[in-house]
Amino acid sequence: MKCIVTTCLFLVFAFKVTAQDVEQLIISQDVENFWQAYDKIITTKDSIQQHNYLKTLFLDKGTPGLTAIMMVRNYTAQSYIDAINNYPQFWTSIRQNTFKAKEFASDIEADIAKIRNIYPHLKPAKLYFTMGAFRTGGTTLDSMVLIGSEIAMADESTVTTEFPHQLAHLPTYYKTNPIKSVSFNNTHEYIHTQQKTTIGNTLLAQCLIEGVAEFVTVLGTGKPSMAPALTVGKNNEGRVREILTRQLFNSFTDFWFYSNADNEFNVRDLGYYAGYAICEKYYNQAADKLLAIKEMIELDYNNETDLLKFVDQSGYFTKPVNKIKKQFEKTQPRVTAIKEFKNGATNVSAGITQITFTFSEPMDDRYRSFELGPLGENNLLRLTKFLGFTADKKSVSFEIALKPNQQYQIIIGSGFRSGTTYPVSLQPYLVNFTTVAK
């Protein structure tokens, strides 16, 4: 994202950066390599040959940015092969746009220079224009900004008629001409490289992670955000805050981020707005504006004490966030019983082959999660087969295989969630029991 082609003033320091520096900071060779592979892949229907072209012409020549974006978004070779084979009209329509990365060099560098004026502690990062398979237009890993050019470089003329339902959000997004927001979006991602993490443990933490990047980008560059969620959020501020309050401490983000899940606002990524609004209030009430920016960028978003203090100081919510958390915990569904024996029992028969967990309310049967207990893997209760939920969704059963004279543990995790319109994550529950000797 940082690429200097003119003389720029950073506070009191002036220096000139050459085209060679640009090459070191904006790296786009993955795009060229992709199209070399693409041109060969489309000449054959032989899947082995297609994979060979992809490997030798694209993957093996990949930059660290390609390696990173594949890891972060779980891309495989098959992800690329499927995308190439399934959407030929799309690739034809976007091809020329993907070569324009360096045209944005001066704009991106100017924006980064403006950010440094309000946050002098800005650390260097490299910007990789690479190619993905429709799971991100921009993300980060460590000090690398990773741009998925197949999303970020699209415009309203990009052909999307071949896209399936799971990509239904992209036609609407492409109509906003995302290529015109490349500089802004890359600055947003650049700010992520300055944060302690880009993955929050709760919805509230994720709102702040994204909201900080969006707010600082708007404030620093003077450019408006093009995210539809910000407009919708401002127009529905009270209702958004009401719904957000119910879900602040969810361990999943549902429709608030990166999802096409249905919601009453008919817009995705409202978490960007929520975090932006909190940051805006925090900044406006701060006496030292530069310190406020430093605090929001360097905040430890997964340190609950620091996070709640920051949010309370913003004044965004009408009550202390700790009280909101306590109210949330009261609404969380719980495991109320194990059907076959009492949790904590030390005399469980090793002949039991099924275990059933009962919940306090109906659950969404699409989701479940488990974690290791305190004793670790050696004492893990292994669920050998999923048997399903009951009709009322208040119980779920699994096959198990037990050994005598063994202590077992497993945590029923917060990935389980209620089946309400605005679901709430399960309060984690430790299953702990011991079988008797034969």
Side-chain angles (χ1 to χ4, degrees):
M1 186 170 301
K2 187 177 179 185
C3 46
I4 308 173
V5 295
T6 59
T7 301
C8 295
L9 180 66
F10 292 152
L11 296 179
V12 297
F13 304 99
F15 57 90
K16 187 173 182 179
V17 182
T18 67
Q20 183 178 5
D21 296 311
V22 173
E23 289 296 323
Q24 294 172 348
L25 294 167
I26 283 191
I27 301 167
S28 60
Q29 68 192 63
D30 287 329
V31 174
E32 288 83 357
N33 292 341
F34 173 84
W35 288 112
Q36 289 180 15
Y38 178 91
D39 287 339
K40 289 291 188 179
I41 289 169
I42 63 174
T43 65
T44 179
K45 298 296 184 181
D46 186 314
S47 62
I48 295 177
Q49 191 63 54
Q50 287 187 338
H51 277 271
N52 182 59
Y53 286 139
L54 186 78
K55 180 178 183 299
T56 58
L57 298 176
F58 180 55
L59 300 181
D60 288 352
K61 295 180 178 180
T63 67
L66 177 60
T67 301
I69 202 170
M70 290 184 69
M71 181 180 71
V72 172
R73 286 297 181 261
N74 297 315
Y75 290 138
T76 64
Q78 192 62 50
S79 302
Y80 289 97
I81 294 296
D82 289 343
I84 290 170
N85 288 332
N86 292 337
Y87 316 123
Q89 295 179 57
F90 163 80
W91 291 113
T92 298
S93 69
I94 200 174
R95 182 166 184 152
Q96 291 308 311
N97 276 7
T98 64
F99 291 112
K100 296 179 179 179
K102 290 185 177 64
E103 294 181 16
F104 296 98
S106 59
D107 286 343
I108 293 171
E109 180 51 36
D111 284 349
I112 298 303
K114 292 175 183 177
I115 298 298
R116 185 172 276 105
N117 282 330
I118 63 172
Y119 182 63
H121 312 280
L122 203 66
K123 295 174 290 188
K126 286 190 175 182
L127 169 63
Y128 291 89
F129 277 83
T130 185
M131 199 72 79
F134 305 106
R135 292 177 193 160
T136 184
T139 187
T140 63
L141 182 66
D142 300 327
S143 62
M144 294 182 287
V145 176
L146 312 170
I147 304 304
S149 299
E150 81 286 0
I151 294 179
M153 305 300 279
D155 60 31
E156 61 184 354
S157 66
T158 302
V159 176
T160 60
T161 54
E162 302 157 309
F163 285 176
H165 176 72
Q166 59 264 36
L167 299 180
H169 61 288
L170 288 179
T172 300
Y173 179 64
Y174 287 171
K175 288 178 182 177
T176 68
N177 284 310
I179 194 170
K180 293 184 178 180
S181 301
V182 165
S183 298
F184 181 97
N185 292 337
N186 288 347
T187 304
H188 172 110
E189 297 299 334
Y190 197 104
I191 291 166
H192 280 320
T193 68
Q194 313 298 305
Q195 296 172 306
K196 285 183 168 63
T197 182
T198 57
I199 301 175
N201 292 337
T202 62
L203 173 59
L204 177 59
Q206 199 64 42
C207 284
L208 263 295
I209 289 167
E210 294 292 2
V212 165
E214 196 78 356
F215 176 75
V216 173
T217 301
V218 170
L219 183 70
T221 67
K223 297 177 179 179
S225 169
M226 299 303 292
L230 262 67
T231 300
V232 173
K234 289 179 180 179
N235 291 339
N236 298 273
E237 181 180 5
R239 180 60 176 165
V240 170
R241 182 163 45 226
E242 177 187 349
I243 300 301
L244 180 67
T245 300
R246 299 183 202 170
Q247 298 189 295
L248 268 189
F249 293 92
N250 266 341
S251 59
F252 58 90
T253 57
D254 197 43
F255 76 88
W256 297 93
F257 289 103
Y258 330 125
S259 167
N260 293 324
D262 292 336
N263 63 83
E264 67 180 83
F265 307 102
N266 294 316
V267 68
R268 56 186 275 142
D269 297 335
L270 266 176
Y272 283 78
Y273 162 73
Y276 184 100
I278 292 170
C279 291
E280 187 173 44
K281 283 186 172 291
Y282 188 89
Y283 179 82
N284 288 341
Q285 57 82 40
D288 187 333
K289 305 299 187 187
L290 291 183
L291 178 60
I293 294 167
K294 183 176 187 293
E295 288 170 340
M296 63 180 68
I297 291 176
E298 298 178 9
L299 181 65
D300 187 346
Y301 306 98
N302 287 327
N303 180 315
E304 188 171 280
T305 299
D306 292 349
L307 179 68
L308 300 197
K309 180 180 178 182
F310 180 91
V311 176
D312 279 338
Q313 288 181 353
S314 76
Y316 179 76
F317 294 101
T318 58
K319 62 181 68 174
V321 187
N322 195 49
K323 287 188 176 181
I324 295 175
K325 182 185 178 185
K326 290 179 180 178
Q327 290 176 338
F328 173 83
E329 290 171 344
K330 290 179 181 179
T331 69
Q332 282 186 280
R334 289 168 168 77
V335 176
T336 58
I338 299 172
K339 180 180 178 181
E340 291 74 17
F341 52 83
K342 185 177 180 180
N343 195 27
T346 58
N347 60 346
V348 176
S349 169
I352 293 176
T353 60
Q354 178 175 315
I355 190 167
T356 301
F357 306 118
T358 301
F359 304 100
S360 59
E361 61 184 270
M363 305 298 289
D364 188 327
D365 60 5
R366 296 172 297 174
Y367 301 99
R368 52 190 182 272
S369 71
F370 299 91
E371 303 169 21
L372 291 173
L375 296 179
E377 189 170 356
N378 289 337
N379 295 83
L380 175 65
L381 172 64
R382 300 188 183 278
L383 309 175
T384 58
K385 185 178 180 181
F386 172 62
L387 298 177
F389 280 82
T390 53
D392 63 4
K393 309 292 179 63
K394 294 186 70 173
S395 295
V396 64
S397 299
F398 299 85
E399 281 187 4
I400 56 175
L402 303 179
K403 296 178 180 180
N405 200 30
Q406 171 77 30
Q407 184 176 1
Y408 288 99
Q409 291 184 337
I410 193 170
I411 294 175
I412 304 176
S414 57
F416 280 91
R417 60 187 71 179
S418 61
T420 59
T421 302
Y422 292 105
V424 175
S425 55
L426 180 78
Q427 188 172 95
Y429 180 86
L430 173 64
V431 177
N432 182 32
F433 65 92
T434 302
T435 55
V436 293
K438 286 185 177 179

